[in-house]
Amino acid sequence: FSMCIVLLAALVIGLLCFATQFTGISFISALTAAVCTLLPIMYDPLNRYIFYSKGKEMFRQGACVSGREALGHIGSSDGFVLDAKDVFSGEIARFRKSAITRVDQNTSAVFTAALMNAADSVLAPCFDSFIEQMGIALPEVENFQYEEKLGYSAWISDRKVLVGNRQMLLNHSITVPSKEHEKAYGKGRYVMYVVVDGEISATFLVNYKVLSSLRRYSRAFNKTGLMLMFNSKEAFLNEEIIAAKLSLDISSVKVLSSKATAVMEKYNNSIEDQESTGLLCSLKKKSLMHLIMGCYNLNALNKRIFSMMLIGQILGIFLLIAAPVLQMNIFINPVTIVILRLIWCGIVTLTTEQKK
C-alpha cells in the first residue's frame, strides 16, 4: 500500500515538472527524486533497532519474543488469563472458635487448611506454618466442590465441612450473624465462616494483596485496552474487588466461571511437551506481565514509527510539488534529499527512544 502511494505521488510530481518545463529529462529527474525522497527506506531498520533494544530489556526481565510474527499474534489478542495466586497473596487473621460449637479450634483450622489446599487457594499458604507446628498431615478431602464466588464444601473425616462467605451459608440455610455484627468484626476485611455438620465452628478474617513485583504493571495495563481474565477459586475475589486492588477499569476484568476454567484446563492439557512458540517467559510471576506489556509497547512503537514515516512522506510530497511551482528546483538535489532524510530519521529515532 505504501509503495503504491509513493509511485502515484512520484508520477504526479513528474508530470507536474513536465508541465512546467516541457522536457523529458525534467520528468525523469523529478520522478526519480520523488521515489528516492518518498521511499520509506528507514522504516525497516528503525523497526529492527527498536525491536532489538526493547527485546534486550524484556530478556533481562525473563521474557522473550522471537520475531514480528509472534508480536503480531500477541498484538491481535483480546485478553490474557492469569491465575489469581500469581497476582495476589493472601492474609488471614483472628481465627476464632465459635462459642456455640463443640468442634475445637484446631480441628476447624485443619479442616479449613485441607479445603484451601484442595482448592489451590491464594489463602492456602497462610496455613502452612500452622500445619507444620501441629506436625500432622492434612486429612483426605472427598467430594470437593467449589461454589462460585462463595466458598468450598467437602466431606472430611466423615463430616460435612463448608468454608465460605455469608451468602454461601445462607444458601445452605445456616443461620449467620447480622450484617452489622459482621461489619464490626471485619473492620474492612472479609469474614469467612467454617461450618462443620451444619453449625458454625469458627470464623476468620481474610484479605488479599497485590504482589509488589506486579503493582507497577497494573496502572500501565489500563492503557492497553486488553482484558485480564482470572482463574480464581476465591470466595471474595470478584471483578469489583480485583479491579479495585489492581486500579483497573472493571470492564477490563473478568473472573472465569468453573465451566470456562474447565475448558481452559482441557486445552492446556492437550498441549504437547514440545510445542513451537514465539513467546516465552520465565516462571517468575512478573515475567508474564512484562511480556504482555513489552509486546504491547513494541506494537505501539511500530505504529508510531509507521505514522511518522508516513508524515515524512507527506512532507516530502509537498516539498517536491512546491519546488517546481516556486521555481526552487535548484534546492532539490541528491545532497539535499539525503540531508532531509537523515534529519527526519533522527527525529523519528529520538521520539521513539523517548517513548520506550
Side-chain angles (χ1 to χ4, degrees):
F1 178 72
S2 180
M3 284 299 299
C4 291
I5 294 177
V6 168
L7 294 175
L8 182 62
L11 183 61
V12 171
I13 292 168
L15 291 173
L16 184 61
C17 284
F18 179 77
T20 56
Q21 299 183 16
F22 304 104
T23 62
I25 192 66
S26 65
F27 171 76
I28 296 173
S29 299
L31 184 68
T32 304
V35 171
C36 292
T37 303
L38 301 179
L39 273 178
I41 55 175
M42 290 302 295
Y43 176 68
D44 188 67
L46 276 175
N47 250 333
R48 290 180 182 275
Y49 166 71
I50 294 298
F51 188 91
Y52 174 73
S53 58
K54 188 70 178 176
K56 285 200 304 183
E57 179 187 338
M58 292 171 63
F59 191 76
R60 286 194 294 268
Q61 298 293 334
C64 178
V65 54
S66 65
R68 297 184 195 179
E69 185 178 354
L71 192 63
H73 288 319
I74 201 168
S76 61
S77 300
D78 295 321
F80 298 87
V81 179
L82 301 173
D83 282 328
K85 62 182 179 180
D86 290 336
V87 180
F88 297 97
S89 62
E91 294 179 342
I92 64 169
R94 301 175 70 181
F95 196 103
R96 292 182 176 179
K97 176 180 178 293
S98 173
I100 60 172
T101 184
R102 290 170 293 178
V103 180
D104 64 83
Q105 183 170 314
N106 285 348
T107 301
S108 296
V110 170
F111 286 173
T112 304
L115 274 177
M116 294 293 181
N117 274 274
D120 198 19
S121 168
V122 171
L123 300 171
C126 300
F127 291 90
D128 289 347
S129 59
F130 167 75
I131 297 301
E132 289 176 4
Q133 291 175 5
M134 292 280 291
I136 60 173
L138 291 175
E140 185 178 351
V141 176
E142 299 178 342
N143 297 326
F144 172 83
Q145 289 186 335
Y146 165 63
E147 299 185 22
E148 288 187 28
K149 302 176 186 177
L150 297 175
Y152 324 103
S153 65
W155 285 90
I156 305 177
S157 302
D158 295 325
R159 308 180 82 171
K160 180 68 171 179
V161 181
L162 307 177
V163 177
N165 57 27
R166 175 188 185 85
Q167 188 58 49
M168 182 181 185
L169 270 61
L170 291 173
N171 291 352
H172 286 266
S173 302
I174 297 170
T175 304
V176 295
S178 66
K179 288 186 178 181
E180 290 74 17
H181 177 273
E182 185 176 287
K183 186 176 181 180
Y185 172 60
K187 295 181 179 179
R189 289 174 286 187
Y190 310 110
V191 181
M192 290 194 76
Y193 299 89
V194 183
V195 177
V196 180
D197 292 335
E199 65 177 15
I200 298 175
S201 64
T203 57
F204 60 101
L205 304 179
V206 303
N207 195 18
Y208 301 95
K209 287 189 174 182
V210 181
L211 296 175
S212 57
S213 60
L214 300 179
R215 188 176 296 279
R216 73 185 183 96
Y217 296 102
S218 60
R219 294 183 180 88
F221 198 86
N222 260 331
K223 301 177 183 179
T224 66
L226 299 170
M227 176 169 284
L228 274 183
M229 293 166 280
F230 286 87
N231 178 19
S232 169
K233 291 183 179 178
E234 306 299 320
F236 291 103
L237 280 181
N238 54 33
E239 286 84 355
E240 291 82 2
I241 292 174
I242 291 175
K245 294 283 185 182
L246 293 173
S247 302
L248 296 174
D249 295 330
I250 191 170
S251 60
S252 65
V253 176
K254 177 68 176 177
V255 176
L256 296 178
S257 65
S258 297
K259 290 182 179 179
T261 300
V263 171
M264 187 189 71
E265 290 176 351
K266 183 179 179 181
Y267 173 76
N268 287 340
N269 293 334
S270 68
I271 297 176
E272 300 289 339
D273 292 336
Q274 294 183 346
E275 193 87 21
S276 62
T277 181
L279 302 167
L280 293 171
C281 65
S282 70
L283 295 177
K284 292 181 180 179
K285 294 177 179 178
K286 65 178 181 180
S287 294
L288 177 59
M289 289 299 290
H290 198 86
L291 176 65
I292 295 171
M293 293 306 304
C295 289
Y296 172 80
N297 289 336
L298 273 173
N299 278 319
L301 286 172
N302 286 344
K303 292 177 182 177
R304 184 178 181 83
I305 292 172
F306 178 80
S307 299
M308 293 199 69
M309 284 297 181
L310 187 60
I311 291 172
Q313 287 177 279
I314 294 172
L315 291 176
I317 291 173
F318 281 117
L319 175 64
L320 292 175
I321 290 176
V325 173
L326 300 177
Q327 300 298 316
M328 295 173 59
N329 285 0
I330 189 173
F331 297 107
I332 305 301
N333 56 62
V335 176
T336 307
I337 291 173
V338 170
I339 292 173
L340 291 175
R341 294 303 297 268
L342 289 176
I343 291 174
W344 189 250
C345 288
I347 292 173
V348 174
T349 304
L350 287 175
T351 54
T352 50
E353 282 288 342
Q354 290 175 353
K355 283 290 179 181
K356 282 168 59 185

